[in-house]
Amino acid sequence: MTNLESLLSPLTFLGNLIEDQNQLTPLKEYESWWRAEGMTISEAVDRAGTPWLRMFDQFGRRVDEILFPPDYWKMLKRGYQAGVIWRPFANDSGASLRMHYLIDYVTCFFDAGLGCPYIVSMSTAVPLKKYGAPELQARFLPHLLRRDESVWQGATWMTEAKGGSDLGANVETTARHAGDHWILNGDKYFASNVGAELAIIAARPEGAPQTPQGLALFLVPRYRDDAERGTNSTVREGSSRPDGQLNYFIRRIKNKIGTRSVPTGEVELRDSEAYLLGRQEWGIYLILESLNLSRVGNIVGSVALAQRALADALTFAERRVAFGRAIIEHPLLRRQFDERFEQLLHARALMWEAIRLLDEVWQETPRYSDRYHLFRLVAHLAKYWTAELAVQFAKWGMEVHGGMGVLAEYSAERWLREAMILPIWEGTPHRQMLDGLEVMERKRAHQMLFDHLAPHAHANDLQNISFRIEQHLQLSVEEKEAGIEGIFHDLATFTARTLARKYALMSEPPAVGRG
Ligand SMILES: Cc1cc2nc3c(=O)[nH]c(=O)nc-3n(C[C@H](O)[C@H](O)[C@H](O)COP(=O)(O)OP(=O)(O)OC[C@H]3O[C@@H](n4cnc5c(N)ncnc54)[C@H](O)[C@@H]3O)c2cc1C
């Protein structure tokens, strides 16, 4: 099998990372579905642009329905049926998130935006499972774990209009205790997978300080609890979704440059019924835990998108002729392909390590182990490095397509539009660097990372980067922040290269050009 073939299929490229052969059958079926049906649907959804919001039905009742073409729902539900949420929960003892991320990888190779609903649904299911009161779990979790089209979706809404990086200062949504539940009021400015049946939402309980520690995490259903309270509604036949009143409102759907397979909206919480997850004072930890899950999802989406951009560029370069031969045969382009293939192998290793470490620690609760802090550093490095890689690969892929690359009728421009969001959501590059710096300073996570990498690293390289990090940590606060980018980038590159060696995945460079 040539390396070119390995690039064209997400599963072939992941190759021996998928250790459990039982996982391969559903994954292969899922990839086949994408080739047979999903790719056409995905392209049409992207072309159709922002979906419509129907706020009222014809009789004036507020409904807030999102109007996608019917095929969208088929594409969306296919991943849930494949097991992106239910599979990790099917075997409670030793539950592993790997299958979630593998399905996500295949999804994002074909449609990077569609990874988002799956990721945020998982980021809703996990805190509900870990921190929800037993009656809350019994009431809501089975809906998220359904294996058919009636599955419920989740969402994670923290950011408000004044800013997402500094949540501690900027969350103005309030929470008031009201017996067995809470009442939320406020607006969420970036709400992806809007329309989801359940969302986890950051809010500030009355009287709590205007700091990160003042935040708590709540579960908010799309519909009010009317059905069960017997005030105002019925349960639709064949559905466990109460035909009740809306519990949150969608003000509008954002018009985005990409990721059109996930609707992002503005949400209004107006006396919305909510349920506290975990202890109130643990809120910020729970928010960060859910961010861990989606951050790894972002890493997966970035590597899958980078693979796709490279695969499409290669396919084009093999057939486009200039100066008497396929452009791939020209030494400069050939070298560029070789280098990018190698970088992609590094990115794959970094991604896999982030998934494996998360798998070890995702069930922890505060106070966390050292392993958890090691995971955090790896996740910050990987999110920062792979998102940038995806943007660079998508941009370069356009260039390989020449003028065709910028035409909306082909796919190369789409990958760049999709890629542009990857560095921003789940925390900007600045956030990754500064949070990475914090975990090195406060938990000495770099030491754990170096111990972790030592068996696979070249001793001189390890010594060199270790020395540079320690030197950097001696600087003043101002200098440390101002100068973090160069060293953080080098640490990420070193980590990725070393991990690629660990997995012995750096096979021969791509056989560019067939034969
Ligand atoms: C399409 C889309 C979907 C989204 N979906 C969701 C969602 O579902 N749920 C959700 O909660 N959020 C969502 N977000 C919000 C996203 O997480 C935020 O955009 C992101 O966290 C950055 O916040 P901000 O846009 O408010 O920028 P700001 O926080 O205002 O930051 C502006 C700039 O300042 C930089 N900056 C801030 N502080 C520092 C510092 N100390 N040092 C250096 N630079 C700094 C930032 O890195 C950034 O470059 C979504 C965003 C987009 C674009």
Side-chain angles (χ1 to χ4, degrees), residues 116 120 155-167 170 188-194 254 256 258-259 262 264-265 291 421 424-431 434 481:
C116 177
V120 293
T156 60
W157 301 335
M158 316 296 162
T159 310
E160 301 189 3
K162 287 187 180 165
S165 306
D166 187 6
L167 282 183
N170 291 331
K188 293 291 169 184
Y189 189 70
F190 281 111
S192 287
N193 214 23
V194 70
K254 309 266 197 198
K256 301 176 288 183
T259 62
V262 56
T264 302
L291 209 53
I421 184 63
I424 294 171
W425 61 14
E426 319 310 344
T428 60
H430 309 126
R431 247 341 333 127
L434 295 174
E481 282 201 17

mmCIF file of all heavy atoms in Angstrom, residues 116 120 155-167 170 188-194 254 256 258-259 262 264-265 291 421 424-431 434 481, ligand 1:
data_model
loop_
_atom_site.group_PDB
_atom_site.id
_atom_site.type_symbol
_atom_site.label_atom_id
_atom_site.label_comp_id
_atom_site.label_asym_id
_atom_site.label_seq_id
_atom_site.Cartn_x
_atom_site.Cartn_y
_atom_site.Cartn_z
ATOM 1 N N CYS A 116 -18.445 19.240 15.561
ATOM 2 C CA CYS A 116 -18.844 20.062 16.705
ATOM 3 C C CYS A 116 -20.066 19.516 17.453
ATOM 4 O O CYS A 116 -20.011 19.365 18.674
ATOM 5 C CB CYS A 116 -19.048 21.506 16.269
ATOM 6 S SG CYS A 116 -19.624 22.559 17.606
ATOM 7 N N VAL A 120 -19.742 18.548 21.420
ATOM 8 C CA VAL A 120 -20.459 19.237 22.509
ATOM 9 C C VAL A 120 -21.508 18.321 23.148
ATOM 10 O O VAL A 120 -21.841 18.487 24.330
ATOM 11 C CB VAL A 120 -21.060 20.596 22.062
ATOM 12 C CG1 VAL A 120 -19.954 21.581 21.745
ATOM 13 C CG2 VAL A 120 -22.019 20.463 20.896
ATOM 14 N N ALA A 155 -25.033 20.649 24.193
ATOM 15 C CA ALA A 155 -24.354 21.881 23.782
ATOM 16 C C ALA A 155 -23.656 22.469 25.002
ATOM 17 O O ALA A 155 -24.027 22.155 26.141
ATOM 18 C CB ALA A 155 -25.363 22.873 23.223
ATOM 19 N N THR A 156 -22.656 23.315 24.760
ATOM 20 C CA THR A 156 -21.868 23.881 25.867
ATOM 21 C C THR A 156 -21.773 25.391 25.677
ATOM 22 O O THR A 156 -21.054 25.851 24.804
ATOM 23 C CB THR A 156 -20.446 23.269 25.881
ATOM 24 O OG1 THR A 156 -19.800 23.562 24.639
ATOM 25 C CG2 THR A 156 -20.485 21.759 26.040
ATOM 26 N N TRP A 157 -22.495 26.129 26.463
ATOM 27 C CA TRP A 157 -22.581 27.574 26.247
ATOM 28 C C TRP A 157 -22.029 28.337 27.441
ATOM 29 O O TRP A 157 -22.642 28.406 28.504
ATOM 30 C CB TRP A 157 -24.036 27.972 25.988
ATOM 31 C CG TRP A 157 -24.611 27.263 24.782
ATOM 32 C CD1 TRP A 157 -23.910 26.767 23.715
ATOM 33 C CD2 TRP A 157 -25.986 26.949 24.533
ATOM 34 N NE1 TRP A 157 -24.761 26.176 22.810
ATOM 35 C CE2 TRP A 157 -26.045 26.272 23.284
ATOM 36 C CE3 TRP A 157 -27.170 27.187 25.227
ATOM 37 C CZ2 TRP A 157 -27.230 25.819 22.723
ATOM 38 C CZ3 TRP A 157 -28.360 26.743 24.671
ATOM 39 C CH2 TRP A 157 -28.390 26.079 23.435
ATOM 40 N N MET A 158 -20.874 28.929 27.218
ATOM 41 C CA MET A 158 -20.212 29.701 28.268
ATOM 42 C C MET A 158 -20.080 31.170 27.858
ATOM 43 O O MET A 158 -20.292 32.073 28.667
ATOM 44 C CB MET A 158 -18.801 29.152 28.547
ATOM 45 C CG MET A 158 -18.693 27.631 28.625
ATOM 46 S SD MET A 158 -19.621 26.929 30.002
ATOM 47 C CE MET A 158 -19.748 25.211 29.482
ATOM 48 N N THR A 159 -19.686 31.410 26.598
ATOM 49 C CA THR A 159 -19.241 32.738 26.167
ATOM 50 C C THR A 159 -20.391 33.748 26.083
ATOM 51 O O THR A 159 -21.463 33.426 25.589
ATOM 52 C CB THR A 159 -18.584 32.632 24.773
ATOM 53 O OG1 THR A 159 -17.621 31.588 24.811
ATOM 54 C CG2 THR A 159 -17.915 33.926 24.373
ATOM 55 N N GLU A 160 -20.102 34.958 26.526
ATOM 56 C CA GLU A 160 -21.073 36.056 26.400
ATOM 57 C C GLU A 160 -20.440 37.194 25.598
ATOM 58 O O GLU A 160 -19.252 37.150 25.271
ATOM 59 C CB GLU A 160 -21.537 36.495 27.793
ATOM 60 C CG GLU A 160 -22.168 35.308 28.505
ATOM 61 C CD GLU A 160 -22.861 35.623 29.809
ATOM 62 O OE1 GLU A 160 -22.924 36.803 30.198
ATOM 63 O OE2 GLU A 160 -23.350 34.654 30.439
ATOM 64 N N ALA A 161 -21.254 38.211 25.308
ATOM 65 C CA ALA A 161 -20.829 39.225 24.330
ATOM 66 C C ALA A 161 -19.571 39.978 24.758
ATOM 67 O O ALA A 161 -18.791 40.431 23.929
ATOM 68 C CB ALA A 161 -21.963 40.208 24.086
ATOM 69 N N LYS A 162 -19.332 40.097 26.055
ATOM 70 C CA LYS A 162 -18.161 40.883 26.495
ATOM 71 C C LYS A 162 -16.858 40.109 26.376
ATOM 72 O O LYS A 162 -15.793 40.675 26.580
ATOM 73 C CB LYS A 162 -18.368 41.374 27.926
ATOM 74 C CG LYS A 162 -19.383 42.501 27.977
ATOM 75 C CD LYS A 162 -19.480 43.123 29.348
ATOM 76 C CE LYS A 162 -20.514 44.251 29.310
ATOM 77 N NZ LYS A 162 -20.919 44.654 30.660
ATOM 78 N N GLY A 163 -16.929 38.808 26.106
ATOM 79 C CA GLY A 163 -15.680 38.089 25.856
ATOM 80 C C GLY A 163 -15.645 36.700 26.440
ATOM 81 O O GLY A 163 -16.200 36.447 27.525
ATOM 82 N N GLY A 164 -14.989 35.803 25.691
ATOM 83 C CA GLY A 164 -14.936 34.404 26.076
ATOM 84 C C GLY A 164 -13.665 34.005 26.811
ATOM 85 O O GLY A 164 -13.664 33.034 27.575
ATOM 86 N N SER A 165 -12.561 34.733 26.589
ATOM 87 C CA SER A 165 -11.301 34.308 27.223
ATOM 88 C C SER A 165 -11.377 34.511 28.736
ATOM 89 O O SER A 165 -10.937 33.651 29.505
ATOM 90 C CB SER A 165 -10.126 35.109 26.670
ATOM 91 O OG SER A 165 -10.091 35.031 25.274
ATOM 92 N N ASP A 166 -11.934 35.623 29.140
ATOM 93 C CA ASP A 166 -11.983 35.975 30.564
ATOM 94 C C ASP A 166 -13.393 35.715 31.100
ATOM 95 O O ASP A 166 -14.120 36.642 31.485
ATOM 96 C CB ASP A 166 -11.595 37.459 30.709
ATOM 97 C CG ASP A 166 -11.455 37.874 32.164
ATOM 98 O OD1 ASP A 166 -11.550 36.992 33.051
ATOM 99 O OD2 ASP A 166 -11.253 39.077 32.405
ATOM 100 N N LEU A 167 -13.760 34.442 31.151
ATOM 101 C CA LEU A 167 -15.120 34.076 31.569
ATOM 102 C C LEU A 167 -15.424 34.570 32.981
ATOM 103 O O LEU A 167 -16.539 34.999 33.285
ATOM 104 C CB LEU A 167 -15.292 32.565 31.542
ATOM 105 C CG LEU A 167 -15.520 31.880 30.191
ATOM 106 C CD1 LEU A 167 -15.730 30.390 30.409
ATOM 107 C CD2 LEU A 167 -16.696 32.478 29.446
ATOM 108 N N ASN A 170 -16.549 38.045 32.691
ATOM 109 C CA ASN A 170 -17.534 38.444 31.678
ATOM 110 C C ASN A 170 -18.858 37.696 31.686
ATOM 111 O O ASN A 170 -19.768 38.070 30.945
ATOM 112 C CB ASN A 170 -16.896 38.339 30.285
ATOM 113 C CG ASN A 170 -15.817 39.394 30.098
ATOM 114 O OD1 ASN A 170 -15.889 40.463 30.701
ATOM 115 N ND2 ASN A 170 -14.825 39.100 29.292
ATOM 116 N N LYS A 188 -26.335 34.278 25.918
ATOM 117 C CA LYS A 188 -25.093 33.631 25.470
ATOM 118 C C LYS A 188 -24.858 34.030 24.016
ATOM 119 O O LYS A 188 -25.742 33.878 23.166
ATOM 120 C CB LYS A 188 -25.206 32.104 25.622
ATOM 121 C CG LYS A 188 -25.278 31.660 27.086
ATOM 122 C CD LYS A 188 -23.961 31.873 27.806
ATOM 123 C CE LYS A 188 -24.078 31.697 29.309
ATOM 124 N NZ LYS A 188 -22.835 31.990 30.025
ATOM 125 N N TYR A 189 -23.670 34.528 23.741
ATOM 126 C CA TYR A 189 -23.410 35.177 22.452
ATOM 127 C C TYR A 189 -22.945 34.208 21.376
ATOM 128 O O TYR A 189 -23.184 34.409 20.197
ATOM 129 C CB TYR A 189 -22.370 36.278 22.663
ATOM 130 C CG TYR A 189 -22.174 37.156 21.463
ATOM 131 C CD1 TYR A 189 -23.173 38.053 21.071
ATOM 132 C CD2 TYR A 189 -21.001 37.097 20.717
ATOM 133 C CE1 TYR A 189 -22.993 38.863 19.962
ATOM 134 C CE2 TYR A 189 -20.822 37.912 19.608
ATOM 135 C CZ TYR A 189 -21.818 38.785 19.238
ATOM 136 O OH TYR A 189 -21.642 39.588 18.138
ATOM 137 N N PHE A 190 -22.211 33.185 21.757
ATOM 138 C CA PHE A 190 -21.782 32.139 20.812
ATOM 139 C C PHE A 190 -22.327 30.822 21.333
ATOM 140 O O PHE A 190 -21.783 30.267 22.294
ATOM 141 C CB PHE A 190 -20.257 32.039 20.748
ATOM 142 C CG PHE A 190 -19.598 33.088 19.900
ATOM 143 C CD1 PHE A 190 -18.817 34.075 20.471
ATOM 144 C CD2 PHE A 190 -19.737 33.070 18.520
ATOM 145 C CE1 PHE A 190 -18.183 35.027 19.692
ATOM 146 C CE2 PHE A 190 -19.109 34.026 17.726
ATOM 147 C CZ PHE A 190 -18.322 35.010 18.310
ATOM 148 N N ALA A 191 -23.369 30.328 20.724
ATOM 149 C CA ALA A 191 -23.995 29.095 21.209
ATOM 150 C C ALA A 191 -24.058 28.090 20.058
ATOM 151 O O ALA A 191 -24.983 28.119 19.246
ATOM 152 C CB ALA A 191 -25.387 29.397 21.750
ATOM 153 N N SER A 192 -23.031 27.236 19.979
ATOM 154 C CA SER A 192 -22.993 26.248 18.892
ATOM 155 C C SER A 192 -23.911 25.082 19.204
ATOM 156 O O SER A 192 -24.177 24.780 20.365
ATOM 157 C CB SER A 192 -21.565 25.762 18.670
ATOM 158 O OG SER A 192 -20.813 26.773 18.049
ATOM 159 N N ASN A 193 -24.352 24.431 18.114
ATOM 160 C CA ASN A 193 -25.363 23.376 18.198
ATOM 161 C C ASN A 193 -26.627 23.896 18.868
ATOM 162 O O ASN A 193 -27.297 23.176 19.623
ATOM 163 C CB ASN A 193 -24.834 22.131 18.912
ATOM 164 C CG ASN A 193 -25.431 20.864 18.332
ATOM 165 O OD1 ASN A 193 -25.879 20.858 17.178
ATOM 166 N ND2 ASN A 193 -25.466 19.800 19.094
ATOM 167 N N VAL A 194 -26.920 25.133 18.558
ATOM 168 C CA VAL A 194 -28.118 25.743 19.128
ATOM 169 C C VAL A 194 -29.349 24.953 18.653
ATOM 170 O O VAL A 194 -29.369 24.454 17.525
ATOM 171 C CB VAL A 194 -28.182 27.247 18.727
ATOM 172 C CG1 VAL A 194 -28.470 27.434 17.243
ATOM 173 C CG2 VAL A 194 -29.158 28.016 19.587
ATOM 174 N N LYS A 254 -25.963 32.758 13.635
ATOM 175 C CA LYS A 254 -24.832 33.527 13.129
ATOM 176 C C LYS A 254 -24.496 33.123 11.706
ATOM 177 O O LYS A 254 -24.536 31.937 11.362
ATOM 178 C CB LYS A 254 -23.587 33.257 13.986
ATOM 179 C CG LYS A 254 -23.795 33.421 15.462
ATOM 180 C CD LYS A 254 -23.414 34.782 15.888
ATOM 181 C CE LYS A 254 -23.212 34.840 17.392
ATOM 182 N NZ LYS A 254 -23.263 36.213 17.869
ATOM 183 N N LYS A 256 -21.651 32.493 9.431
ATOM 184 C CA LYS A 256 -20.222 32.218 9.619
ATOM 185 C C LYS A 256 -19.548 31.916 8.277
ATOM 186 O O LYS A 256 -20.208 31.492 7.341
ATOM 187 C CB LYS A 256 -20.031 30.980 10.509
ATOM 188 C CG LYS A 256 -20.652 31.086 11.868
ATOM 189 C CD LYS A 256 -20.483 29.773 12.632
ATOM 190 C CE LYS A 256 -21.358 28.667 12.087
ATOM 191 N NZ LYS A 256 -21.267 27.418 12.835
ATOM 192 N N GLY A 258 -17.553 29.436 7.807
ATOM 193 C CA GLY A 258 -17.443 27.986 7.633
ATOM 194 C C GLY A 258 -18.217 27.257 8.706
ATOM 195 O O GLY A 258 -19.097 27.839 9.352
ATOM 196 N N THR A 259 -17.889 25.992 8.873
ATOM 197 C CA THR A 259 -18.557 25.105 9.842
ATOM 198 C C THR A 259 -20.079 25.288 9.800
ATOM 199 O O THR A 259 -20.727 25.449 10.825
ATOM 200 C CB THR A 259 -18.021 25.307 11.289
ATOM 201 O OG1 THR A 259 -18.266 26.632 11.731
ATOM 202 C CG2 THR A 259 -16.548 25.001 11.394
ATOM 203 N N VAL A 262 -22.858 23.055 11.624
ATOM 204 C CA VAL A 262 -23.317 23.237 13.005
ATOM 205 C C VAL A 262 -23.887 24.644 13.107
ATOM 206 O O VAL A 262 -23.225 25.626 12.781
ATOM 207 C CB VAL A 262 -22.183 22.998 14.039
ATOM 208 C CG1 VAL A 262 -20.974 23.871 13.802
ATOM 209 C CG2 VAL A 262 -22.708 23.221 15.459
ATOM 210 N N THR A 264 -24.669 27.964 14.823
ATOM 211 C CA THR A 264 -24.216 28.726 15.995
ATOM 212 C C THR A 264 -25.162 29.907 16.163
ATOM 213 O O THR A 264 -25.375 30.648 15.202
ATOM 214 C CB THR A 264 -22.768 29.214 15.791
ATOM 215 O OG1 THR A 264 -21.924 28.079 15.565
ATOM 216 C CG2 THR A 264 -22.262 29.974 17.005
ATOM 217 N N GLY A 265 -25.709 30.063 17.344
ATOM 218 C CA GLY A 265 -26.709 31.113 17.524
ATOM 219 C C GLY A 265 -26.416 31.980 18.726
ATOM 220 O O GLY A 265 -25.419 31.804 19.429
ATOM 221 N N LEU A 291 -14.255 21.694 28.796
ATOM 222 C CA LEU A 291 -13.383 22.284 27.770
ATOM 223 C C LEU A 291 -12.274 21.302 27.371
ATOM 224 O O LEU A 291 -11.874 21.252 26.205
ATOM 225 C CB LEU A 291 -12.775 23.573 28.334
ATOM 226 C CG LEU A 291 -12.418 24.676 27.357
ATOM 227 C CD1 LEU A 291 -13.592 25.039 26.474
ATOM 228 C CD2 LEU A 291 -11.971 25.918 28.135
ATOM 229 N N ILE A 421 -11.689 28.543 11.935
ATOM 230 C CA ILE A 421 -12.299 28.575 13.265
ATOM 231 C C ILE A 421 -11.488 27.763 14.285
ATOM 232 O O ILE A 421 -11.565 27.999 15.496
ATOM 233 C CB ILE A 421 -13.765 28.053 13.205
ATOM 234 C CG1 ILE A 421 -14.476 28.157 14.554
ATOM 235 C CG2 ILE A 421 -13.823 26.632 12.714
ATOM 236 C CD1 ILE A 421 -14.626 29.520 15.049
ATOM 237 N N ILE A 424 -9.564 29.319 17.072
ATOM 238 C CA ILE A 424 -10.296 30.261 17.938
ATOM 239 C C ILE A 424 -11.177 29.563 18.977
ATOM 240 O O ILE A 424 -11.082 29.848 20.174
ATOM 241 C CB ILE A 424 -11.122 31.237 17.073
ATOM 242 C CG1 ILE A 424 -10.160 32.113 16.262
ATOM 243 C CG2 ILE A 424 -12.023 32.104 17.946
ATOM 244 C CD1 ILE A 424 -10.815 32.973 15.225
ATOM 245 N N TRP A 425 -12.035 28.640 18.515
ATOM 246 C CA TRP A 425 -12.935 28.091 19.547
ATOM 247 C C TRP A 425 -12.192 27.072 20.424
ATOM 248 O O TRP A 425 -11.116 26.614 20.079
ATOM 249 C CB TRP A 425 -14.246 27.574 18.965
ATOM 250 C CG TRP A 425 -14.233 26.469 17.958
ATOM 251 C CD1 TRP A 425 -13.191 25.648 17.658
ATOM 252 C CD2 TRP A 425 -15.329 26.077 17.117
ATOM 253 N NE1 TRP A 425 -13.571 24.757 16.690
ATOM 254 C CE2 TRP A 425 -14.875 24.997 16.340
ATOM 255 C CE3 TRP A 425 -16.651 26.507 16.946
ATOM 256 C CZ2 TRP A 425 -15.697 24.357 15.401
ATOM 257 C CZ3 TRP A 425 -17.453 25.864 16.022
ATOM 258 C CH2 TRP A 425 -16.981 24.817 15.268
ATOM 259 N N GLU A 426 -12.730 26.814 21.538
ATOM 260 C CA GLU A 426 -12.084 26.011 22.607
ATOM 261 C C GLU A 426 -10.819 26.709 23.110
ATOM 262 O O GLU A 426 -9.907 26.068 23.612
ATOM 263 C CB GLU A 426 -11.754 24.579 22.165
ATOM 264 C CG GLU A 426 -12.778 23.843 21.315
ATOM 265 C CD GLU A 426 -14.188 23.893 21.879
ATOM 266 O OE1 GLU A 426 -14.345 24.224 23.059
ATOM 267 O OE2 GLU A 426 -15.134 23.630 21.115
ATOM 268 N N GLY A 427 -10.766 28.030 22.975
ATOM 269 C CA GLY A 427 -9.636 28.801 23.496
ATOM 270 C C GLY A 427 -8.667 29.187 22.392
ATOM 271 O O GLY A 427 -8.177 28.326 21.660
ATOM 272 N N THR A 428 -8.393 30.488 22.299
ATOM 273 C CA THR A 428 -7.509 31.007 21.249
ATOM 274 C C THR A 428 -6.060 30.541 21.493
ATOM 275 O O THR A 428 -5.736 30.062 22.590
ATOM 276 C CB THR A 428 -7.533 32.546 21.274
ATOM 277 O OG1 THR A 428 -7.065 32.955 22.572
ATOM 278 C CG2 THR A 428 -8.925 33.089 21.024
ATOM 279 N N PRO A 429 -5.186 30.742 20.492
ATOM 280 C CA PRO A 429 -3.765 30.389 20.710
ATOM 281 C C PRO A 429 -3.177 31.085 21.933
ATOM 282 O O PRO A 429 -2.397 30.486 22.677
ATOM 283 C CB PRO A 429 -3.087 30.861 19.420
ATOM 284 C CG PRO A 429 -4.178 30.838 18.388
ATOM 285 C CD PRO A 429 -5.444 31.178 19.106
ATOM 286 N N HIS A 430 -3.565 32.358 22.150
ATOM 287 C CA HIS A 430 -3.042 33.050 23.339
ATOM 288 C C HIS A 430 -3.403 32.296 24.613
ATOM 289 O O HIS A 430 -2.599 32.138 25.516
ATOM 290 C CB HIS A 430 -3.608 34.476 23.422
ATOM 291 C CG HIS A 430 -3.445 35.263 22.170
ATOM 292 N ND1 HIS A 430 -4.472 35.883 21.519
ATOM 293 C CD2 HIS A 430 -2.341 35.496 21.430
ATOM 294 C CE1 HIS A 430 -4.022 36.480 20.437
ATOM 295 N NE2 HIS A 430 -2.725 36.257 20.359
ATOM 296 N N ARG A 431 -4.652 31.853 24.664
ATOM 297 C CA ARG A 431 -5.126 31.133 25.859
ATOM 298 C C ARG A 431 -4.340 29.834 26.058
ATOM 299 O O ARG A 431 -3.986 29.462 27.167
ATOM 300 C CB ARG A 431 -6.588 30.773 25.685
ATOM 301 C CG ARG A 431 -7.693 31.289 26.441
ATOM 302 C CD ARG A 431 -7.720 31.963 27.746
ATOM 303 N NE ARG A 431 -6.734 31.778 28.775
ATOM 304 C CZ ARG A 431 -6.076 32.781 29.358
ATOM 305 N NH1 ARG A 431 -6.276 34.034 28.999
ATOM 306 N NH2 ARG A 431 -5.220 32.559 30.319
ATOM 307 N N LEU A 434 -0.889 30.748 27.400
ATOM 308 C CA LEU A 434 -0.878 31.266 28.775
ATOM 309 C C LEU A 434 -1.321 30.200 29.781
ATOM 310 O O LEU A 434 -0.765 30.100 30.877
ATOM 311 C CB LEU A 434 -1.752 32.522 28.871
ATOM 312 C CG LEU A 434 -1.223 33.701 28.038
ATOM 313 C CD1 LEU A 434 -2.204 34.862 28.042
ATOM 314 C CD2 LEU A 434 0.148 34.161 28.537
ATOM 315 N N GLU A 481 5.181 36.241 29.940
ATOM 316 C CA GLU A 481 4.010 36.241 29.049
ATOM 317 C C GLU A 481 4.390 36.741 27.667
ATOM 318 O O GLU A 481 4.038 36.132 26.657
ATOM 319 C CB GLU A 481 2.896 37.124 29.634
ATOM 320 C CG GLU A 481 2.136 36.447 30.744
ATOM 321 C CD GLU A 481 0.751 37.068 30.969
ATOM 322 O OE1 GLU A 481 0.263 37.792 30.090
ATOM 323 O OE2 GLU A 481 0.180 36.816 32.041
HETATM 324 C C1 LIG B 1 -18.181 29.963 15.313
HETATM 325 C C2 LIG B 1 -17.984 30.025 16.785
HETATM 326 C C3 LIG B 1 -18.663 29.161 17.602
HETATM 327 C C4 LIG B 1 -18.516 29.240 18.984
HETATM 328 N N1 LIG B 1 -19.243 28.399 19.783
HETATM 329 C C5 LIG B 1 -19.177 28.537 21.128
HETATM 330 C C6 LIG B 1 -19.981 27.734 21.986
HETATM 331 O O1 LIG B 1 -20.743 26.883 21.554
HETATM 332 N N2 LIG B 1 -19.895 27.937 23.331
HETATM 333 C C7 LIG B 1 -19.076 28.886 23.869
HETATM 334 O O2 LIG B 1 -19.045 29.022 25.070
HETATM 335 N N3 LIG B 1 -18.301 29.658 23.073
HETATM 336 C C8 LIG B 1 -18.331 29.494 21.724
HETATM 337 N N4 LIG B 1 -17.541 30.283 20.921
HETATM 338 C C9 LIG B 1 -16.766 31.343 21.533
HETATM 339 C C10 LIG B 1 -15.275 31.110 21.544
HETATM 340 O O3 LIG B 1 -14.971 30.140 22.494
HETATM 341 C C11 LIG B 1 -14.634 32.469 21.788
HETATM 342 O O4 LIG B 1 -14.758 33.205 20.593
HETATM 343 C C12 LIG B 1 -13.201 32.382 22.215
HETATM 344 O O5 LIG B 1 -13.093 31.749 23.456
HETATM 345 C C13 LIG B 1 -12.559 33.771 22.323
HETATM 346 O O6 LIG B 1 -13.379 34.654 23.024
HETATM 347 P P1 LIG B 1 -13.778 36.062 22.363
HETATM 348 O O7 LIG B 1 -14.183 35.821 20.958
HETATM 349 O O8 LIG B 1 -14.765 36.706 23.225
HETATM 350 O O9 LIG B 1 -12.445 36.889 22.333
HETATM 351 P P2 LIG B 1 -11.834 37.739 23.561
HETATM 352 O O10 LIG B 1 -11.857 36.917 24.790
HETATM 353 O O11 LIG B 1 -12.483 39.059 23.612
HETATM 354 O O12 LIG B 1 -10.349 37.909 23.074
HETATM 355 C C14 LIG B 1 -9.992 38.767 21.985
HETATM 356 C C15 LIG B 1 -8.519 38.536 21.673
HETATM 357 O O13 LIG B 1 -7.734 38.903 22.811
HETATM 358 C C16 LIG B 1 -6.863 37.849 23.133
HETATM 359 N N5 LIG B 1 -6.572 37.835 24.564
HETATM 360 C C17 LIG B 1 -7.445 37.790 25.593
HETATM 361 N N6 LIG B 1 -6.803 37.763 26.757
HETATM 362 C C18 LIG B 1 -5.489 37.808 26.492
HETATM 363 C C19 LIG B 1 -4.306 37.794 27.271
HETATM 364 N N7 LIG B 1 -4.338 37.722 28.615
HETATM 365 N N8 LIG B 1 -3.121 37.854 26.647
HETATM 366 C C20 LIG B 1 -3.052 37.888 25.305
HETATM 367 N N9 LIG B 1 -4.128 37.905 24.505
HETATM 368 C C21 LIG B 1 -5.335 37.847 25.086
HETATM 369 C C22 LIG B 1 -7.600 36.604 22.711
HETATM 370 O O14 LIG B 1 -6.738 35.494 22.591
HETATM 371 C C23 LIG B 1 -8.190 37.079 21.390
HETATM 372 O O15 LIG B 1 -7.224 36.970 20.378
HETATM 373 C C24 LIG B 1 -17.648 30.197 19.535
HETATM 374 C C25 LIG B 1 -16.942 31.054 18.703
HETATM 375 C C26 LIG B 1 -17.103 30.986 17.350
HETATM 376 C C27 LIG B 1 -16.337 31.948 16.483
#
